[in-house]
Structures are given as C-alpha cells and as structure tokens.
Amino acid sequence: EAKTYNTPDVNFIWSMTSGPKKSILCATGEPGAVLSIKDGKHEAIFSSEESHIRSIRYDTKLGIFAGGGEKGILYRQKPGDQQFRALFDSGHTEITSIVLQNDMAYTASVTGAEALIKEHQKSSSGKGSDSSSASIKVRSQLVRVDMNGASEVLAGSNDEIIFGLAINSQNDLTVATGATGRDNPRGRIYTIEPKTRRIAMVYQAEAK
C-alpha cells in the first residue's frame, strides 16, 4: 500500500538522494530549489534563480551538490555552511547527473536534452520523422570538477546526451546516453576509467 509522504508546492521533482540526519533531498523544478524532507515535512534549503534544479548529490565529507537545469551551474553547500554557492559554470543548459568520488564531482553537462526527448515523442507518435533529428543541436560533456571549481573535460559528444552517471564496482564511471543525428540512433551505456580516460561501450539499446 502506497501513502503520500509529502506534497511540496512544485511542478517537478527531478531527482532525490539521501541527505544529512536521515533526510531526503529533492531537486525540484518550477521553482528550482533543493528541498529537505524529514518526517514527512519539507523545507526549502536552497532557492535558485534557475527555474529547475535537475540533479542532487550528498556526501558527508564534501556536502550537498545541486545541478542547475537552465543555466547549467553546479552549486555546493559545504558541511556546516548554510549557503549554497556556485562552484562551476558548465557552459551548458543542464547538469543532468552528478557523482562524487575521491574529492571530485563528476557532472553530466548537457545542451539539447529537452529537444531530443520532444523529437523522440514526435517520431513515436507518428508526427515527426527520424530525419529531422539531424537538425537538433545537442552537446554533452563529462566534466571532473575539484572543490576549488577547477574543471577538466573527460569526454564529450555532439550527437549524444548524457542522462545519468553512476560509479560501478570497479570504481569506474558508468554513463547512460541518448542519441540523435545518426542513421539509426541508439541509447548506449559506457564505462570510463577516470585516470586513463579509457572509454568502453558496454551496451547498446534498441531505444534512442
């Protein structure tokens, strides 16, 4: 049996993660905020100028990280600090996913994710064609950011969008993507070894 735990006054909950003191942290859209939910009650701990906060991640040592969904800024709240501050400007419109490893934040910094999804919906409903996908401008980068805001691009693409990141059992990055602009675009899963930047495709789906 499912019961309503909390109903915040937002239009979107994009991402959730476990937070400090047994709370749940939510990245929301319209308005773009970070909510802390505990014992069924929510509190806005960060209100952004961006209309969406797309991603959220928490680490006891490094603090809370939130990825913007309009200006693509990575925000950080340090442990013991009440304020969120901009750590990194991705130069993209969205940070769709964040993972933390070895005092580094890895971000999926993307442009064109919304257009790619809408085009897929059109083609699925018969209102559009795959040929129009070539005109969609998408870019994505996997970026490593240190706690001073210095960044390094590990990988990038002009026809794939990074939708999700995770750390696998070998401590490599797992990257989930969607594609456009090819004769037969497919969604793919890659692994990336952060030190050597070695990239391997481990799965290709039938879906975009």
Side-chain angles (χ1 to χ4, degrees), residues 28-34 46-53:
T28 72
E30 296 178 359
V34 174
F46 175 52
S47 296
S48 170
E49 294 182 358
E50 302 191 47
S51 58
H52 296 271
I53 295 294

Side-chain angles (χ1 to χ4, degrees), residues 8-197:
D9 188 18
V10 300
N11 285 332
F12 301 91
I13 296 178
W14 288 110
S15 182
M16 297 189 297
T17 189
S18 298
K21 300 179 181 180
K22 299 182 179 181
S23 65
I24 300 171
L25 298 175
C26 297
T28 72
E30 296 178 359
V34 174
L35 302 184
S36 174
I37 304 177
K38 186 176 181 182
D39 299 327
K41 299 179 180 179
H42 67 265
E43 174 190 7
I45 61 173
F46 175 52
S47 296
S48 170
E49 294 182 358
E50 302 191 47
S51 58
H52 296 271
I53 295 294
R54 277 288 274 111
S55 49
I56 189 81
R57 190 68 65 177
Y58 169 67
D59 180 84
T60 55
K61 178 183 176 183
L62 300 178
I64 302 172
F65 295 78
E70 185 180 21
K71 300 178 181 178
I73 295 175
L74 179 65
Y75 304 92
R76 179 192 181 196
Q77 183 194 60
K78 296 180 181 179
D81 197 343
Q82 298 298 314
Q83 301 294 321
F84 279 76
R85 293 179 170 82
L87 178 66
F88 165 67
D89 186 345
S90 69
H92 291 265
T93 56
E94 299 180 72
I95 295 179
T96 57
S97 187
I98 307 165
V99 294
L100 304 171
Q101 185 185 50
N102 298 329
D103 294 341
M104 294 285 184
Y106 293 85
T107 71
S109 305
V110 309
T111 298
E114 183 178 2
L116 179 59
I117 293 172
K118 286 183 177 179
E119 178 59 29
H120 172 66
Q121 292 171 340
K122 287 182 180 179
S123 61
S124 298
S125 64
K127 296 179 180 179
S129 64
D130 290 343
S131 62
S132 61
S133 296
S135 63
I136 299 176
K137 302 300 182 183
V138 304
R139 291 189 303 123
S140 64
Q141 292 180 320
L142 175 63
V143 183
R144 177 166 52 201
V145 185
D146 69 19
M147 295 304 101
N148 294 315
S151 63
E152 180 181 12
V153 177
L154 301 185
S157 176
N158 289 324
D159 60 9
E160 289 182 284
I161 288 290
I162 302 173
F163 285 111
L165 300 174
I167 304 292
N168 67 16
S169 58
Q170 285 75 44
N171 290 320
D172 293 337
L173 296 170
T174 301
V175 182
T177 72
T180 186
R182 302 176 185 156
D183 291 336
N184 188 17
R186 304 286 185 88
R188 294 173 174 174
I189 297 176
Y190 298 90
T191 59
I192 299 179
E193 204 287 320
K195 290 184 179 180
T196 63
R197 302 187 187 184

